[in-house]
Every structure is written in C-alpha cells, then in structure tokens.
Amino acid sequence: MTHTRFAFVKARWHADIVDRAYDGFTETIPPTQVDTFDVPGAFEMPLMAQTLAQTGRYDAVICAALVVDGGIYRHDFVAAAVVDGLIQVGLNTGVPVLSVSLTPHHFQETSHHMGIYSDHFVTKGREAAQAALGIVEARKSLRSVA
C-alpha cells in the first residue's frame, strides 16, 4: 500500500508567519507524509508547484504565502497572478494545488498584526489539510467507480 504524499511550498517573505500554515497542516497530516520546499516569494510558487506536480510523487501540492502591499506592486495584483497560476498548474497537471495565500488589506509589522496573522495561518493550514485529504479521497472514489 502506498502512502499519500503532499508537497508543501512556503514563500519566505514573512516566513515567521507563513511557516505557521505548515504547523497547522501537520496537526492533521503527519510530517512524515509532507515534503517541504521554500521559495523566495509568492510569485515563485506556481513554477515550483508545477515542477513538483510533474514529478508524479505527490497527491496534492499546498502553497503558502503572505502577500502584503509593499508599495511597488499592489498586493491584489500579486495575489491574483499567483492564485491564477496555481489554479492553472492544477488544471494542467491533474494534481490538486491548494493555496494558503493570504492578502491582508492593512498589514503592519506590529506585534498585534503579527500575532493575528500567525494564528490565522495555523487555522488556514488546518483547513488546507482537510481540503487536501478531501480532494484526494474524492479523486480515489472516482477511480474506484470508473
């Protein structure tokens, strides 16, 4: 029997917050079933997700990033491009690609905001784990019907 494997991609901008999504994810899915990969930022996630999906090793790829308004690029533009890229990877490879990419409108690097978003990423990581298990199970049940 083969074990379900997941790839978890983490953008390194605001890594102290983004890494909390992995913490939440591995509350449900054992770390022994998860390979982690770091990328510089959110824009690099779709390419990494595609590379990982094409290996055939993973039942799903999960990508996490915190995209904030940095003054150069509008965060909504970046987030839309990233999420669209992740969706395209899933559709083109047939491997589910899930996003834990958050785009707060008014993020400030204060202890209050850092705490709020760190906690929220744990929750989103848990939700991503449930979604990953759900889509893997749904796809397995379709194969057994065919």
Side-chain angles (χ1 to χ4, degrees):
M1 176 178 175
T2 60
H3 291 285
T4 305
R5 293 228 44 91
F6 300 96
F8 200 101
V9 179
K10 302 176 292 166
R12 297 298 66 207
W13 284 99
H14 299 287
D16 49 339
I17 295 173
V18 173
D19 287 349
R20 299 299 309 266
Y22 175 80
D23 296 341
F25 190 82
T26 56
E27 287 178 10
T28 301
I29 296 174
T32 56
Q33 290 180 245
V34 184
D35 295 332
T36 61
F37 302 89
D38 292 341
V39 294
F43 263 136
E44 292 78 23
M45 291 192 316
L47 180 59
M48 179 61 87
Q50 177 177 281
T51 302
L52 294 167
Q54 290 173 337
T55 68
R57 292 184 207 139
Y58 301 105
D59 296 281
V61 178
I62 298 80
C63 297
L66 178 65
V67 181
V68 299
D69 193 346
I72 296 172
Y73 292 111
R74 289 190 42 88
H75 66 288
D76 50 350
F77 163 77
V78 173
V82 169
V83 171
D84 183 58
L86 295 176
I87 289 169
Q88 290 305 311
V89 169
L91 292 173
N92 292 338
T93 65
V95 175
V97 178
L98 307 174
S99 174
V100 184
S101 299
L102 300 181
T103 59
H105 284 274
H106 302 290
F107 178 78
Q108 298 171 359
E109 290 190 44
T110 64
S111 59
H112 177 70
H113 275 197
M114 300 290 276
I116 288 170
Y117 289 105
S118 290
D119 291 345
H120 193 59
F121 262 81
V122 173
T123 300
K124 299 312 283 182
R126 288 182 197 124
E127 291 171 356
Q130 291 301 319
L133 292 172
I135 191 65
V136 167
E137 185 60 34
R139 289 168 57 91
K140 283 181 183 175
S141 69
L142 282 175
R143 285 191 289 266
S144 67
V145 172

